[in-house]
Amino acid sequence: MNEQAKQFKFVGTRPIRPDGVDKVTGRAMYGADLTLPGMLEGKVVRSPHAHARIKSIDTSKAEALNGVKSVVTAADMPEAESKPVAAGEAMINFRDLAENVIARHKVFYEGQTVAAVAATSNEIAERAAALIEVEYEVLPHVIDVLDAMKDDAPVLHDHIFTGGVTPKPEKPSNVANRVEFALGDIDAGFAAADIVIERKFTTEPVHQAYIEPHAVVADMGPDGKADVWCSSQGHFMVRSFCAGLLKIEMSKIKVSAAEIGGGFGGKTTVYLEPLAIMLSRKAGRPVRMVMSREEIFRASGPTSGAAMTIKIGATKDGRITAGDATLCLQAGAFPGSPVGPAAMTAFAPYDLENVRVVGFDVVSNRPKVVAYRAPGAPISEYAVESVVDELASELGLDPIEFRAKNGAKEGTQAAYGVKFGTIGMQETLEAAKATEHYKIPLGPNQGRGVATGFWFNIGGESCAGIRINEDGSVSLTEGSPDIGGSRASMAIMAAEVLGIDVAKIKPSVVDTDATGYHFVTGGSRVTFATGMAVVDASKAAIDELRARAAKIWDVDVDGVVWEDGHAKPASTNVGDFEPMSLAEIAAIANKTGGPISGHADINAKGAGPGFGTHICDVEVDPDTGFVTVLRYTAVQDVGRAIHPSYVEGQLQGGAAQGIGWALNEAYMYDEDGKLENAGFLDYRVPVASDLPMIDTILVEIPNPTHPFGVRGVGEVPIIPPLAAVNNAVAAATGVRFTALPLSPPAILAGTGAGD
Amino acid sequence: MAKQHITTTINGEEAEYLCEAQETLLDVLRDQVGLTGTKEGCSSGDCGACSVMLDGRLVCSCLVLGVEAEGKTVETIEGMADGEELHPLQQKFLEEAALQCGFCTPGVLVAAKALLDVNDDPTETEVRYWLAGNLCRCTGYDKIIRAVMDTAADLRGASA
């Protein structure tokens, strides 16, 4: 039966999340909360230089310190082979991952790991780390993306010859890759335009800034088997990367998912985990490692900063004729910026005939970027949406109507290759236009900005197990770390299919020995893909329940249907049997064949693309340049909200992160290539007093490929805010800004009030 | 250096621990006393994940030394519920989904309770400024602010 046609009993309700009480009472165990008997504390020695050759490492003094149990350098690690692997939604090279975990010959950014030590206390480990002597030959460095692309820039890696161009360049450079997506004929498109606007934009790198530091406890026994407990967006990713880096069979590494205190893409790779296993192996004792906030800023994340050129043409009546974009994204020290998705998403909200996007993946002496919520899309769509807004303004058109006129719809051919199916771009625009917010009159120095956002969303591997317990309760197992309430969604979907109360279902995120491979909690995929696995597993359990009822009634299984949590005869022809509840069948399972369960191991396809439209009102203080966000509304096509509260939460959280990106956040470097603001005091994420309430509107255009119509929702909401804020500031000040963040000094410089 | 012997009251019960002079109250709570509900997010007093009450005053436990708790009272997230009975703030946070990853939640709850203890009818602005020292990266604060204000309203209604 088509689930989407049914009235839902649990889908769309807001039960208290199954892990909730643990999280409001302090009982929930996060990465750093585990203590094992005999556990050591591990610390990392990091490069003080942005770019340097490692001449020697002397660990003897550290090893001689009382209480030090093991020291690890790259010499202890197997040489990694050069091969591409998926890290979140981007591809990286395994050899680069190994170098990023611990430097071998060179350091490529300030903060890169060069050694690690484990000792009986944090204090001894810190003293030991300070005793490790590393001799460096400092090399010229380059921080800025455009500087790094210059012919005379210091080259980070001798083996990088720009990919994606023919013929292969003769000499190595910092431009690791070129990508291009094109549709139609942009020259003809621009020739048909009445107005063409071209602007150059820059954005700064921003950090995911999850509040929980990276943390791991690893325990490897003399038999070579390792137990790992850590906070990550994918414990199967941790197992796979550690096994590959350390050349250990996957079956010998068991990774348990600690509760995760935020990730936003930043925990889709490994930093400490392989080091902790190696330290434990050498010491013969468990080792805990926890990053400091300063280490998090210097050595993990962030996402790319960028330099971009956007050119868009339109006719007088408001039809976009061509879009052209050049995107240069910082990858950090190793290739693998999200320039691919940035290029693919840049113009995706629009139904355009003529598009060209060229992107460059550029290395420089910064920490290696890692996924951050819709990687790349907020960057490219910020620039495009800023020009789209300027075009609407120049043409005297309402910015929502201009977007609706050009917006993607079912059947739109996107430049990156996909023809859209059922999507909700137009519906989000209509809903935004209909809000009270959009009609509220503005005062002096106030402005309103609108922007849209698009993200693919993904599926991927997930597994689920449904075990019907003897008392009729249900244990649900899956392996997607729960970063924002996904256990609640899983329980709701299982309850809906099984037809029993959601409180009867206990969902658990189990370890890598207890379920099959799951791709990371990322790409807005968990409620979609793991949810699909849960639905399939529930249906498999129902098939077994029906079979048991058929056995009890001595009828053919086809004569038994499952309705409202009961096995019933399909018709009076089957026989006159009282319906049997799930609990009644479970109670006598031992007499009908033993324990009852259902399982599904899938690679989910058909993730529905996500679109959102945001409205932002700001007031700009003409004297200080300070921007206050007055009102904010986030509208999104969410497919189907399984637990609407947590869907709203995704929209609100994404909007807040996008506002921070637009107004406050940036990595700042000194002349020596050292990060100057590696802490929450100087790297300002939005605090409660910075923000208004964030209103949400959930548009539900069901995804036809999901049993309940789910689309991923987590990533889209971080995309529109950058341009929505930028466009609001333009409306308030009359100045079109082209660089983020819109800090008070930048605003004053732009308006001329700072002169 | 010899460890210091500290006698204090934690969540209403007398507690003793040995700590180094330089150890923070946060580290002592987590590593010596075994109360890991108090979280470390930055160790510099910027994120508020380690918020506890010290002699009735809201503090970042990462900025307090373990030895400073001598003779004082410490209240942590673990002492907020009364057995199985959640504090109204805890219950409201669950009902209104005012948490996502949950890592900042203990600190937010401790700080919010401290607010309601001194102000039973805070405005939205008062709640936002009171909680400005508690970073949350997941929620955008919306549901947190509403949950605190709704709890305050419930408590006023209950006592009216």
Side-chain angles (χ1 to χ4, degrees):
Chain A
M1 182 192 280
N2 179 4
E3 308 283 349
Q4 293 190 19
K6 283 200 283 189
Q7 282 292 333
F8 298 121
K9 195 166 178 190
F10 298 105
V11 166
T13 64
R14 304 175 187 239
I16 287 176
R17 61 196 280 173
D19 53 329
V21 172
D22 281 352
K23 283 176 176 164
V24 298
T25 55
R27 286 171 46 85
M29 296 276 289
Y30 292 83
D33 294 341
L34 182 69
T35 303
L36 294 179
M39 187 177 79
L40 305 172
E41 302 285 351
K43 294 286 171 194
V44 165
V45 180
R46 297 186 182 277
S47 166
H49 303 296
H51 195 193
R53 199 175 310 284
I54 299 170
K55 295 174 75 175
S56 65
I57 303 177
D58 182 351
T59 61
S60 57
K61 285 182 188 161
E63 282 166 302
L65 188 67
N66 194 26
V68 172
K69 300 299 177 187
S70 59
V71 176
V72 165
T73 67
D76 297 296
M77 310 288 272
E79 289 263 8
E81 56 200 302
S82 176
K83 67 171 180 186
V85 292
E89 289 137 324
M91 296 299 286
I92 59 168
N93 188 299
F94 216 72
R95 181 192 54 212
D96 296 338
L97 177 67
E99 287 268 341
N100 201 41
V101 166
I102 192 161
R104 194 168 286 273
H105 305 296
K106 276 173 76 176
V107 288
F108 297 98
Y109 60 94
E110 184 219 13
Q112 191 175 350
T113 298
V114 292
V117 54
T120 50
S121 74
N122 271 315
E123 194 226 335
I124 295 171
E126 274 166 22
R127 278 166 51 205
L131 289 172
I132 292 175
E133 293 169 352
V134 186
E135 197 183 347
Y136 295 99
E137 176 194 344
V138 177
L139 301 170
H141 69 274
V142 60
I143 294 291
D144 181 72
V145 60
L146 295 179
D147 290 345
M149 295 175 81
K150 288 178 182 164
D151 276 347
D152 60 350
V155 172
L156 273 66
H157 305 278
D158 292 339
H159 61 266
I160 292 182
F161 294 78
T162 308
V165 295
T166 47
K168 180 184 172 184
E170 286 175 4
K171 57 175 194 169
S173 78
N174 295 322
V175 182
N177 211 12
R178 179 187 185 278
V179 297
E180 179 171 342
F181 297 93
L183 190 68
D185 178 346
I186 61 159
D187 292 334
F190 284 118
D194 298 312
I195 176 172
V196 175
I197 293 179
E198 180 173 341
R199 296 272 177 261
K200 291 183 187 299
F201 294 88
T202 61
T203 66
E204 295 298 322
V206 295
H207 199 279
Q208 296 81 354
Y210 30 79
I211 310 300
E212 183 204 20
H214 296 267
V216 55
V217 177
D219 185 13
M220 182 177 249
D223 57 0
K225 291 199 280 250
D227 281 350
V228 179
W229 158 274
C230 66
S231 161
S232 83
Q233 285 175 249
H235 44 316
F236 284 90
M237 172 278 298
V238 172
R239 183 181 74 168
S240 160
F241 283 4
C242 288
L245 290 170
L246 302 174
K247 299 206 186 324
I248 300 170
E249 279 184 7
M250 287 184 188
S251 62
K252 290 187 174 170
I253 302 177
K254 180 178 90 176
V255 187
S256 302
E259 294 303 327
I260 171 172
F264 315 108
K267 292 177 182 168
T268 57
T269 188
V270 294
Y271 299 102
L272 300 174
E273 294 84 353
L275 301 174
I277 293 173
M278 282 303 290
L279 286 168
S280 175
R281 172 192 261 177
K282 286 184 85 173
R285 289 166 65 167
V287 173
R288 174 165 65 187
M289 301 182 83
V290 183
M291 276 199 204
S292 70
R293 182 55 52 180
E294 183 178 341
E295 287 179 295
I296 293 168
F297 275 112
R298 289 193 201 284
S300 75
T303 191
S304 307
M308 301 172 278
T309 305
I310 308 293
K311 182 178 171 187
I312 306 178
T315 57
K316 270 183 273 190
D317 62 349
R319 179 70 201 159
I320 297 176
T321 58
D324 189 13
T326 303
L327 315 172
C328 305
L329 263 65
Q330 300 161 1
F334 303 99
S337 77
V339 71
M344 293 158 82
T345 56
F347 290 104
Y350 296 104
D351 182 13
L352 305 183
E353 286 178 15
N354 308 300
V355 180
R356 183 180 64 186
V357 187
V358 176
F360 297 96
D361 183 31
V362 185
V363 298
S364 65
N365 296 110
R366 297 169 172 271
K368 167 72 182 72
V369 303
V370 66
Y372 181 24
R373 212 167 188 163
I379 300 168
S380 61
E381 295 188 52
Y382 144 72
V384 168
E385 283 293 281
S386 295
V387 174
V388 165
D389 198 74
E390 187 175 355
L391 273 171
S393 174
E394 290 294 315
L395 292 168
L397 297 172
D398 174 87
I400 292 182
E401 284 174 15
F402 182 58
R403 285 175 170 85
K405 187 163 190 160
N406 294 285
K409 45 194 175 291
E410 187 162 355
T412 290
Q413 175 69 49
Y416 71 87
V418 161
K419 187 169 278 204
F420 289 130
T422 313
I423 56 170
M425 166 79 172
Q426 296 289 344
E427 287 81 355
T428 69
L429 289 165
E430 286 163 22
K433 184 136 199 235
T435 57
E436 285 303 309
H437 178 174
Y438 199 59
K439 302 174 186 78
I440 295 172
L442 295 168
N445 301 312
Q446 296 182 354
R448 176 166 297 146
V450 172
T452 61
F454 157 81
W455 184 248
F456 321 91
N457 301 321
I458 62 168
E461 300 99 318
S462 283
C463 307
I466 293 280
R467 287 188 176 74
I468 313 289
N469 299 319
E470 305 92 284
D471 62 356
S473 65
V474 171
S475 300
L476 190 174
T477 55
E478 42 102 357
S480 292
D482 180 354
I483 206 160
S486 56
R487 287 185 187 89
S489 305
M490 299 309 144
I492 288 171
M493 286 186 270
E496 192 71 54
V497 177
L498 291 169
I500 62 170
D501 193 89
V502 67
K504 286 273 183 197
I505 298 168
K506 186 194 168 203
S508 298
V509 179
V510 296
D511 66 58
T512 53
D513 281 357
T515 184
Y517 177 83
H518 287 61
F519 193 62
V520 293
T521 293
S524 303
R525 65 170 223 94
V526 170
T527 305
F528 170 74
T530 308
M532 257 184 170
V534 166
V535 168
D536 287 355
S538 301
K539 286 178 175 171
I542 286 171
D543 286 345
E544 185 60 27
L545 287 159
R546 285 172 51 234
R548 300 300 175 90
K551 195 168 184 181
I552 293 164
W553 294 335
D554 196 19
V555 299
D556 193 277
V557 68
D558 292 338
V560 181
V561 293
W562 190 260
E563 281 175 17
D564 298 328
H566 290 73
K568 297 176 183 172
S571 70
T572 48
N573 295 339
V574 175
D576 184 19
F577 301 108
E578 277 295 304
M580 286 189 79
S581 71
L582 180 145
E584 286 166 343
I585 298 169
I588 53 170
N590 62 334
K591 298 189 181 110
T592 60
I596 300 172
S597 66
H599 299 271
D601 301 329
I602 66 168
N603 188 358
K605 306 288 184 198
F611 291 85
T613 299
H614 291 197
I615 312 168
C616 174
D617 291 359
V618 301
E619 181 167 324
V620 181
D621 185 322
D623 296 324
T624 64
F626 185 81
V627 177
T628 301
V629 180
L630 302 171
R631 284 174 215 96
Y632 203 96
T633 301
V635 186
Q636 189 172 318
D637 171 19
V638 301
R640 174 91 63 203
I642 300 296
H643 189 307
S645 297
Y646 289 102
V647 175
E648 293 160 4
Q650 289 295 320
L651 270 57
Q652 292 164 333
Q657 286 186 318
I659 291 168
W661 198 335
L663 291 178
N664 307 324
E665 299 178 33
Y667 264 44
M668 297 157 80
Y669 283 86
D670 71 9
E671 286 183 358
D672 296 325
K674 297 181 185 184
L675 186 62
E676 292 188 301
N677 58 335
F680 278 137
L681 192 61
D682 299 314
Y683 182 97
R684 173 71 184 260
V685 305
V687 305
S689 54
D690 291 338
L691 295 172
M693 292 300 186
I694 296 166
D695 293 336
T696 58
I697 297 175
L698 308 183
V699 174
E700 293 189 310
I701 309 294
N703 171 10
T705 57
H706 187 276
F708 295 119
V710 166
R711 293 176 196 273
V713 298
E715 286 165 295
V716 168
I718 199 176
I719 301 166
L722 286 68
V725 171
N726 197 43
N727 295 338
V729 168
T733 61
V735 179
R736 290 274 166 190
F737 289 86
T738 56
L740 298 183
L742 294 161
S743 63
I747 297 279
L748 289 182
T751 58
D755 297 343
Chain B
M1 199 195 326
K3 291 193 173 185
Q4 310 284 312
H5 176 254
I6 304 299
T7 306
T8 183
T9 303
I10 301 176
N11 296 330
E13 289 182 14
E14 188 171 291
E16 292 176 72
Y17 53 80
L18 295 174
C19 75
E20 307 273 356
Q22 77 278 7
E23 270 184 284
T24 65
L25 178 59
L26 171 62
D27 286 343
V28 168
L29 286 172
R30 291 179 53 81
D31 296 338
Q32 311 277 354
V33 187
L35 294 176
T36 55
T38 304
K39 301 301 181 194
E40 176 178 338
C42 70
S43 279
S44 55
D46 297 315
C47 81
C50 67
S51 299
V52 302
M53 301 300 284
L54 183 64
D55 266 0
R57 188 170 155 225
L58 179 64
V59 297
C60 288
S61 59
C62 72
L63 298 182
V64 177
L65 293 172
V67 295
E68 291 182 82
E70 172 68 37
K72 295 184 177 164
T73 62
V74 180
E75 294 162 73
T76 72
I77 186 64
E78 286 91 347
M80 200 161 166
D82 182 8
E84 288 187 3
E85 178 99 3
L86 295 181
H87 185 276
L89 275 166
Q90 292 172 311
Q91 185 64 33
K92 192 66 76 180
F93 269 54
L94 293 180
E95 289 168 3
E96 299 192 2
L99 63 150
Q100 284 178 33
C101 80
F103 192 78
C104 74
T105 309
V108 170
L109 284 167
V110 168
K113 180 173 180 292
L115 170 63
L116 298 192
D117 286 346
V118 296
N119 182 352
D120 70 352
D121 191 9
T123 64
E124 182 190 332
T125 302
E126 285 173 331
V127 177
R128 287 190 180 277
Y129 276 87
W130 184 277
L131 293 178
N134 292 83
L135 299 183
C136 170
R137 192 63 158 169
C138 294
T139 64
Y141 304 104
D142 185 300
K143 292 186 191 301
I144 291 175
I145 305 300
R146 288 179 201 275
V148 173
M149 296 185 69
D150 290 349
T151 305
D154 285 356
L155 291 173
R156 288 196 306 278
S159 63

